[in-house]
Amino acid sequence: MFEIFQERMRKRMAQLVVMPCGWGEFLGTSLAFGGASIPDYDGKASFAPAGLDFTEDLKAAKWAVLDADPLHDLRFLAAVTATRRTTAPPLPGVRGFAEVLRDQLAELPGTGDLAAELAARDLELPFVAAMRQIRESPVVSQAIRQALEPAGQEKVRTTLARAIVAATCREVLLREHAVLPLHGDTRKRFVELVQHGLGGGQLGVWDDVADFGARVAKRLGGWALERWRVPFTDGSQPAMGDIVRYLTRGDDLRAAIAGVVEAADDDVVLVGHSLGGVASLDLMLIGSLPAVRTLVTVGSQGPLLFELDALPGLAVGADLPAGLPPWFNYYDRKDVLSYLAAPIFPGWAVDVEVDNEEGMPTAHSAYFDNNKFYDSLAGVIDGGTEP
């Protein structure tokens, strides 16, 4: 995620020096007793849940369906076309659509832009595994066979491309127990590259396929939480554990961030995501860091912790210290882990709303695949005001 952040910012402001503060490996938490405190936990879960989105945002819900079942829309497409007559055999010497498409599937990712993008994100192995799943599915074969006219064939290509991208993300979950930060503009880019590799080029024809499934997904909350209780614990424990540890013993994390600031030049814009934003906010409140000219928090829980009188750096009712730098707080209404700062810190914080076009849990990290976020942040760094 840091590499994505660095690349996007340097494209906008080539003179920037972007310095990371990767604290998770040496300050993150783990289950010291193997999860013995968690009911029905056996530690055998193989992956965190993809998650279902229960908002009214249908666009995000469609991808939530694919997160849960990458082949869902191909199943739907095969089912709604199963009653149609099959296409006539191709003329002698003419290869039919199904044969051509299967060859194109076998040749992915090829050697072009798709292969380069996969290599840049270390996604070659998950992509190969996803392609194997897609090619071996009887549902895929049925959906391909039922495509009779050009519009139907384009719909199959688009649906296949989205299934392949969703299956790749799911493979990362299975292999690394982590949600792949692939959404927004970047996910759209991958779908387009896969679709191009399958001989297609028209986006947007898929939308009518998944509406039914997306609406069903919004009703499955109880089932999902019951089915995925153990893997849900696996996926959420590191973040929850890190927050609890920070609130109890946060000096070392604050010291790590301060060390990076002190190693930089005097003109520092400090950008912190989630708990990193909480710790960065605390640094501003607890000690003097004159090198920091602007504080930026992204998806931050700092305002809520302060309202609960649980923020280590400042008690409710206490005066703000003098000399605080301007603070820009980015939030997304669908990111339930982001909170408003301006009503809690009037006169200091400026809230900046962005729409990552995602539901939870991906909305919490999707800022870093949202070009509008980078455009806004470049304005903050360049002029100190959000454009």
Side-chain angles (χ1 to χ4, degrees):
M1 189 175 292
F2 171 76
E3 291 174 356
I4 296 171
F5 179 84
Q6 179 176 247
E7 175 191 2
R8 299 284 182 92
M9 290 309 303
R10 282 181 172 174
K11 283 182 178 178
R12 289 161 173 80
M13 308 182 76
Q15 75 278 15
L16 282 183
V17 177
V18 187
M19 300 175 62
C21 181
W23 55 269
E25 291 187 63
F26 57 94
L27 294 178
T29 58
S30 61
L31 294 171
F33 299 96
S37 63
I38 303 168
D40 303 320
Y41 183 85
D42 58 10
K44 297 178 181 178
S46 59
F47 59 92
L52 294 175
D53 176 35
F54 311 121
T55 71
E56 292 301 316
D57 188 334
L58 192 57
K59 181 177 180 180
K62 291 174 183 177
W63 273 105
V65 172
L66 291 177
D67 286 340
D69 177 12
L71 294 176
H72 170 272
D73 295 330
L74 287 163
R75 301 181 204 280
F76 193 83
L77 192 60
V80 298
T81 59
T83 58
R84 299 177 184 173
R85 61 177 179 85
T86 57
T87 184
L91 296 174
V94 178
R95 303 174 70 218
F97 170 74
E99 183 181 359
V100 171
L101 189 57
R102 289 193 185 95
D103 287 348
Q104 291 169 330
L105 282 170
E107 293 169 0
L108 286 177
T111 58
D113 290 344
L114 176 59
E117 295 269 8
L118 292 171
R121 288 178 175 257
D122 196 23
L123 292 176
E124 298 101 318
L125 292 179
F127 186 85
V128 168
M131 288 302 308
R132 186 182 305 114
Q133 174 192 1
I134 296 296
R135 288 196 303 266
E136 294 177 355
S137 170
V139 171
V140 174
S141 298
Q142 183 178 353
I144 293 174
R145 286 197 305 269
Q146 300 299 334
L148 305 182
E149 68 286 335
Q153 293 168 1
E154 188 65 30
K155 183 173 293 186
V156 167
R157 289 191 186 98
T158 308
T159 308
L160 267 173
R162 292 177 186 260
I164 290 168
V165 171
T168 301
C169 293
R170 193 160 184 81
E171 280 297 320
V172 175
L173 276 173
L174 290 167
R175 292 165 181 266
E176 302 180 15
H177 299 190
V179 175
L180 176 67
L182 185 64
H183 19 62
D185 297 328
T186 302
R187 184 171 61 192
K188 181 181 178 181
R189 167 72 172 160
F190 268 92
V191 171
E192 290 173 343
L193 289 173
V194 174
Q195 191 174 356
H196 179 73
L198 297 177
Q202 179 185 359
L203 290 175
V205 297
W206 170 80
D207 289 347
D208 62 332
V209 176
D211 283 355
F212 174 76
R215 290 187 174 91
V216 170
K218 292 183 288 187
R219 302 177 183 270
L220 294 181
W223 171 84
L225 292 177
E226 180 180 352
R227 172 66 180 84
W228 297 109
R229 174 170 183 168
V230 171
F232 194 86
T233 299
D234 280 350
S236 60
Q237 174 271 320
M240 292 191 298
D242 289 347
I243 293 171
V244 172
R245 184 185 187 279
Y246 174 77
L247 294 177
T248 305
R249 293 185 294 276
D251 290 344
D252 46 8
L253 176 51
R254 289 190 292 270
I257 299 173
V260 174
V261 170
E262 291 166 0
D265 293 331
D266 289 339
D267 190 19
V268 174
V269 175
L270 183 57
V271 181
H273 173 239
S274 195
L275 180 56
V278 174
S280 299
L281 171 61
D282 266 338
L283 268 177
M284 300 297 100
L285 296 171
I286 291 174
S288 174
L289 280 178
V292 177
R293 68 168 172 86
T294 306
L295 170 66
V296 175
T297 55
V298 184
S300 177
Q301 304 85 50
L304 175 66
L305 291 175
F306 179 67
E307 190 169 9
L308 295 172
D309 202 13
L311 190 67
L314 188 71
V316 170
D319 294 331
L320 290 174
L324 291 171
W327 173 16
F328 294 88
N329 176 60
Y330 285 84
Y331 74 99
D332 180 347
R333 292 179 186 273
K334 294 187 289 297
D335 173 13
V336 298
L337 297 177
S338 66
Y339 294 88
L340 297 175
I344 309 300
F345 297 94
W348 178 29
V350 176
D351 291 318
V352 184
E353 182 177 3
V354 295
D355 183 1
N356 293 318
E357 299 183 358
E358 296 290 334
M360 287 298 290
T362 54
H364 188 52
S365 59
Y367 302 89
F368 301 101
D369 255 336
N370 187 341
N371 283 324
K372 292 180 180 179
F373 163 72
Y374 290 102
D375 292 340
S376 173
L377 181 57
V380 167
I381 295 174
D382 188 42
T385 59
E386 195 272 326

